[in-house]
Amino acid sequence: MKLSKGERLFHVCNNLFLLLIGFLAAFPFWNILIVSFNEGRDAMRGSIYFWPRKFSLEAYAAIFNESSLMHATYISIMRTVSGTLLGLLCTAVLAYLLANRELILRRSMLFFFIFTMYFSGGLIPEFMLIKELNLYNSFLVYIVPAAINVWNVMVMRQFFEDLPPSLAESARIDGASELRTLASIILPMSTPVLATIALMIGVQQWTTWFDTYMFTSGTKELATLQGVLVNILMESQIQSMDPVQASRLEQSGSILTPEVIKMATITITTIPIVMVYPFLQKYFVGGLTVGAVKG
């Protein structure tokens, strides 16, 4: 069908507008990448927008020369994988429980969980709890406290409630237990929300570094990639503020600055998430069609 001039003009303007939105969304990430590949002292002059002015790999060399980096990467991968699997399992079971409208004290339980989203005991009670549970200086300190996130539970609960109730009822009539119903009926139909929650948990586990400092007492065997990168960044900032250290670096011809170190660490931690996201993106689109499911 031939388009009119007005329709062609609309499509051109619409495409240009979408390209502009895409550019504005992608430019900050591109700028971080190119600054990380620029010489540090030259980057302090600013005005680096689309490509490095003086190309350099010294920031990445300084990071990858860290002896504990490989072991820390292994710890981060294990933390992310095991934390995501356990978090997804606990979230699905709790969400299915709260989605059951026949559950006794359901409203009270919902209020209890939602209350924790707005009020917390604070850092000191959390630290004391970790010590009492014997999780301090243990790999489980990365996994157990993050197994339940109330926001994720509420998102998945709403998804389960939107599914036809007749599915679970028919399974119960056939003699299936609640766990069997969840595993065989509900979860296979919940791929979009499972993928979404898995990505949210995985990103949180991959990017978190504060608990490494709080609950591991600096143990190198439990150091995560993010913890090592933050430590490198902090050391570069301390050296830049120390006149003696700064003078030595300048005399040695070093072109490193905290700015390019920061950009390089952001790039290293972001790339794995960017690589995983395209494989899960299609499930986000599928989640929009949940309301079309009919009983």
Side-chain angles (χ1 to χ4, degrees):
M1 185 178 64
K2 188 176 181 180
L3 299 177
S4 65
K5 291 183 178 180
E7 290 174 331
R8 289 198 298 269
L9 179 62
F10 170 77
H11 286 300
V12 171
C13 294
N14 186 52
N15 291 334
L16 290 176
F17 177 73
L18 292 177
L19 286 174
L20 177 62
I21 296 298
F23 170 77
L24 293 177
F27 178 74
F29 299 99
W30 175 253
N31 186 253
I32 289 173
L33 179 64
I34 63 172
V35 171
S36 70
F37 284 109
N38 200 86
E39 286 187 359
R41 285 180 292 183
D42 180 75
M44 295 175 64
R45 294 166 48 198
S47 301
I48 300 176
Y49 300 113
F50 298 105
W51 50 80
R53 189 164 44 231
K54 291 186 178 181
F55 185 82
S56 173
L57 294 175
E58 188 163 343
Y60 291 95
I63 292 175
F64 287 109
N65 283 336
E66 177 65 34
S67 59
S68 60
L69 191 69
M70 293 304 298
H71 180 73
T73 302
Y74 169 76
I75 294 296
S76 288
I77 293 174
M78 292 300 298
R79 168 186 182 163
T80 301
V81 173
S82 56
T84 300
L85 293 177
L86 179 62
L88 202 58
L89 174 63
C90 294
T91 301
V93 172
L94 182 57
Y96 179 70
L97 176 69
L98 296 176
N100 188 349
R101 299 183 184 278
E102 299 179 0
L103 177 67
I104 300 176
L105 300 177
R106 177 173 177 267
R107 290 185 177 275
S108 299
M109 294 180 65
L110 285 173
F111 174 79
F112 171 78
F113 283 106
I114 293 175
F115 182 85
T116 62
M117 295 176 63
Y118 298 97
F119 303 96
S120 66
L123 188 59
I124 295 178
E126 181 182 3
F127 182 85
M128 295 174 62
L129 178 63
I130 294 297
K131 292 281 288 186
E132 289 296 324
L133 294 176
N134 294 322
L135 295 176
Y136 191 77
N137 271 341
S138 170
F139 179 77
L140 292 178
V141 76
Y142 296 143
I143 310 301
V144 176
I148 292 293
N149 182 287
V150 179
W151 171 259
N152 295 339
V153 171
M154 294 304 155
V155 172
M156 192 173 293
R157 178 188 69 90
Q158 186 60 50
F159 189 99
F160 290 163
E161 288 184 350
D162 290 339
L163 294 176
S166 58
L167 294 174
E169 292 174 359
S170 61
R172 296 188 189 101
I173 292 174
D174 292 337
S177 64
E178 294 295 339
L179 288 178
R180 180 65 181 275
T181 301
L182 174 63
S184 302
I185 306 296
I186 304 300
L187 292 184
M189 298 187 63
S190 306
T191 304
V193 72
L194 292 175
T196 302
I197 298 302
L199 181 61
M200 294 170 66
I201 297 175
V203 169
Q204 179 185 10
Q205 289 284 4
W206 178 258
T207 58
T208 301
W209 59 270
F210 186 68
D211 50 5
T212 303
Y213 285 86
M214 282 297 300
F215 306 128
T216 63
S217 68
T219 306
K220 290 187 176 181
E221 289 74 14
L222 295 175
T224 60
L225 174 62
Q226 289 68 30
V228 172
L229 294 178
V230 169
N231 188 50
I232 294 174
L233 177 60
M234 293 175 62
E235 288 180 354
S236 67
Q237 290 175 335
I238 292 174
Q239 289 179 351
S240 66
M241 291 185 295
D242 187 348
V244 177
Q245 291 288 348
S247 177
R248 289 177 180 175
L249 289 174
E250 187 171 354
Q251 291 175 2
S252 65
S254 175
I255 54 178
L256 280 176
T257 62
E259 182 68 14
V260 294
I261 290 288
K262 180 173 66 176
M263 297 304 180
T265 56
I266 293 174
T267 301
I268 292 172
T269 55
T270 303
I271 286 178
I273 302 301
V274 173
M275 294 174 62
V276 171
Y277 181 78
F279 297 98
L280 300 178
Q281 184 180 14
K282 61 180 180 180
Y283 296 112
F284 301 159
V285 178
L288 299 177
T289 63
V290 174
V293 178
K294 303 294 183 182

